[in-house]
Amino acid sequence: MLNTEAIDLPVLTGEIVSPGQPHWDAARRAWNLAVDQRPAYVALPADVDDIVALVTFARRQGLKLAPQGTGHNAAPLPALDNTILVSTQQMRGVEIDAAAQTARVQPGTLWLEVTEASTPHGLFPLSGSSPDVGVVGYTLGGGLSWLARKHGLAADSVTAIELVTPAGERVRATADDHAELFWALRGGSGNFGIVTAMEFRLYPYADVFAGFMLFPYERHAEIVRAWRDWTRTAPEEVTTSIRIMHLPPLPVLPPFLQGRSIVVIDGAYAGDAEAGAAALADLRALEPEMDTFAPSSPAALSRIHMDPEEPMPFLGGGTLLDATDDETLAAFAAGVQPGGALLFGELRQLGGAVGREPEHAGALGAIPGEFLVYGGGAVMGPEMAPAVAGALKGFIDGLASWKHDRMYLNFSEEPTDPVALFGEERAARLRAIRATVDPDRVMVANHAV
Ligand SMILES: Cc1cc2nc3c(=O)[nH]c(=O)nc-3n(C[C@H](O)[C@H](O)[C@H](O)COP(=O)(O)OP(=O)(O)OC[C@H]3O[C@@H](n4cnc5c(N)ncnc54)[C@H](O)[C@@H]3O)c2cc1C
């Protein structure tokens, strides 16, 4: 255990919080409240100079550095006892360049802050299903959005990344400068330094056609099968997911949803309402109990999945599926039954631009497989963890026959072999880049390479 009292801390414009300070517990808290982070210090830098000072300090003290935006993917992190947790939550801000159709964000920026800023310009970022996921963490891990099958991974729409390297150097990585590092950062997560700014492309649409369709749980077998059949001929403009959900009887939910089991299809068509309605016609013909698909702004698109916007304790996990058949769908539904410990099981539609590696691709390349499957449950106290973990294991194991040997980094909630995340060749290239940039392995990322 580090004797933190004997150490001269760096003077920051922001703050460095030590164990025992009154706000220690608030500072070390991750968005995923089920993760108990116990680092040596928590740093809350206010600017890039603070980050350089932190890197210098960490090197002098033989400490490691774990950058964190929100802690949505804190679960796979190793023990942090000799590590400074560098929380970028105070470094927020978005600049939209409407003429260039690009955005520049500070490292602690959340997706909703970008979508709200880009909405008046009719410019869509490749944001995901949760409004309060961090832009940088999401994008460094790939970034699967509601426009993904049309525009590919968010990482592949990045035009520049600024960072402080583990050597304390400020670097701006683009396709032309520090190109190897630029490749590695776009999918290889926080293994290569602390990102201090990111710039990426935005896509012009007057609006997109997005929303959800809700069905009673009793129809799950019919609806899941019909959705799967529909995905096989759906155009690349459309990206959707289907969930079986068992909602708790909580007053934060509208009364008609409290304590109910439902099936929800949601997503977006990258285009206008007429073309979107035509693409979704077969799903609408299933006569959902509720259908909210409508022209949507970037900010509205951020919220169609109704992901929780406040920290919560959860255990989640998933895998990629290939060549699914009716048996797969039955196994999926069997793993997430009413009365079980999982709140939901979800299939996300892959393929299209997500399944093809673009010429300018970053480290992730493409996400293989037909669907991404993910499930999760709330862990309101440590005593609930074994039941949720057991249910999750049963859910994933039940789908083992269709499991792809690769996994998608952002949805990986436990330490995962880099070969499973990237494939042999890319994992080796990432290791080589890390050995050059971070030979002393100072960086602690959610998924180490
Ligand atoms: C409710 C929910 C919905 C989600 N929806 C989607 C979705 O639609 N699509 C999708 O692709 N993913 C989705 N995810 C997964 C999400 O993208 C990952 O959890 C991602 O890692 C979150 O980024 P973060 O910065 O918020 O989290 P953090 O846990 O803070 O960061 C994750 C990792 O990113 C790296 N990192 C973060 N900031 C920096 C930095 N400044 N410099 C260097 N490295 C850094 C670090 O290695 C860190 O451990 C979802 C997750 C949840 C919980």
Side-chain angles (χ1 to χ4, degrees):
M1 189 74 184
L2 193 75
N3 178 6
T4 51
E5 279 170 25
I7 292 172
D8 272 340
L9 297 177
V11 178
L12 306 181
T13 305
E15 198 187 357
I16 184 156
V17 187
S18 305
Q21 280 187 256
H23 52 316
W24 172 245
D25 283 338
R28 69 184 182 85
R29 198 182 73 170
W31 187 91
N32 183 353
L33 298 172
V35 183
D36 184 22
Q37 307 191 107
R38 294 189 177 272
Y41 302 100
V42 179
L44 298 154
D47 53 30
V48 182
D49 287 343
D50 278 359
I51 293 182
V52 174
L54 284 165
V55 173
T56 310
F57 169 71
R59 305 229 39 152
R60 204 173 53 228
Q61 298 297 336
L63 292 168
K64 294 179 183 291
L65 293 158
Q68 186 163 83
T70 65
H72 272 81
N73 198 218
L77 285 169
L80 298 175
D81 47 351
N82 63 344
T83 303
I84 306 175
L85 183 68
V86 183
S87 166
T88 58
Q89 60 181 283
Q90 292 188 1
M91 294 176 70
R92 309 272 271 270
V94 189
E95 291 159 57
I96 305 289
D97 183 335
Q101 300 182 344
T102 56
R104 175 182 167 88
V105 297
Q106 298 301 307
T109 306
L110 307 180
W111 268 123
L112 189 66
E113 293 165 341
V114 181
T115 55
E116 282 181 343
S118 74
T119 287
H121 305 284
L123 292 171
F124 282 75
L126 299 184
S127 53
S129 64
S130 164
D132 76 340
V133 153
V135 176
V136 167
Y138 165 97
T139 309
L140 294 180
L144 190 62
S145 72
W146 294 123
L147 307 177
R149 285 166 33 82
K150 171 77 176 165
H151 295 295
L153 295 171
D156 294 333
S157 280
V158 172
T159 53
I161 299 178
E162 292 171 10
L163 69 154
V164 176
T165 69
E169 248 182 281
R170 294 169 195 229
V171 165
R172 180 176 165 87
T174 66
D176 302 317
D177 271 322
H178 301 277
E180 269 300 272
L181 189 53
F182 186 57
W183 176 84
L185 285 161
R186 290 176 303 135
S189 199
N191 286 285
F192 308 96
I194 303 180
V195 170
T196 56
M198 189 178 265
E199 296 169 11
F200 48 88
R201 269 179 229 109
L202 304 170
Y203 294 91
Y205 290 98
D207 40 54
V208 300
F209 193 62
F212 67 81
M213 296 181 199
L214 189 150
F215 302 87
Y217 172 76
E218 291 65 30
R219 292 183 67 191
H220 71 268
E222 169 207 355
I223 301 299
V224 174
R225 212 175 315 121
W227 174 81
R228 188 274 319 272
D229 292 346
W230 168 85
T231 62
R232 294 201 161 149
T233 54
E236 293 192 359
E237 279 73 21
V238 77
T239 307
T240 58
S241 96
I242 192 164
R243 278 173 295 172
I244 292 179
M245 303 182 81
H246 307 297
L247 300 168
L250 292 177
V252 291
L253 295 169
F256 78 98
L257 288 178
Q258 289 175 18
R260 259 192 92 185
S261 290
I262 53 175
V263 180
V264 183
I265 296 172
D266 61 356
Y269 179 89
D272 63 30
E274 200 184 329
L280 294 168
D282 287 356
L283 298 178
R284 284 189 149 167
L286 298 168
E287 298 183 357
E289 173 182 322
M290 194 173 169
D291 177 353
T292 70
F293 272 86
S296 300
S297 68
L301 183 60
S302 277
R303 292 208 156 105
I304 58 163
H305 208 57
M306 296 172 287
D307 276 348
E309 294 183 38
E310 294 296 328
M312 67 171 284
F314 79 97
L315 261 179
T319 189
L320 297 173
L321 299 178
D322 227 351
T324 62
D325 53 23
D326 288 353
E327 231 184 294
T328 329
L329 304 183
F332 166 73
V336 57
Q337 293 194 34
L342 297 187
L343 283 177
F344 71 95
E346 170 170 13
L347 294 170
R348 286 205 189 191
Q349 193 184 354
L350 299 174
V354 172
R356 290 189 298 267
E357 182 170 348
E359 213 179 298
H360 60 275
L364 204 56
I367 305 181
E370 187 178 10
F371 301 121
L372 183 147
V373 63
Y374 188 82
V379 185
M380 301 319 285
E383 70 288 351
M384 283 178 75
V388 179
L392 202 51
K393 186 173 178 328
F395 177 57
I396 303 295
D397 287 354
L399 293 162
S401 310
W402 303 275
K403 195 171 173 294
H404 201 283
D405 55 6
R406 288 270 307 273
M407 176 51 192
Y408 171 48
L409 187 145
N410 271 355
F411 281 86
S412 194
E413 297 280 355
E414 55 186 12
T416 306
D417 179 357
V419 173
L421 297 176
F422 303 102
E424 289 281 357
E425 214 177 293
R426 285 195 193 81
R429 185 170 163 194
L430 283 168
R431 276 196 210 98
I433 297 169
R434 178 152 186 209
T436 313
V437 181
D438 185 21
D440 302 325
R441 297 185 75 82
V442 171
M443 298 306 302
V444 178
N446 50 348
H447 294 286
V449 296

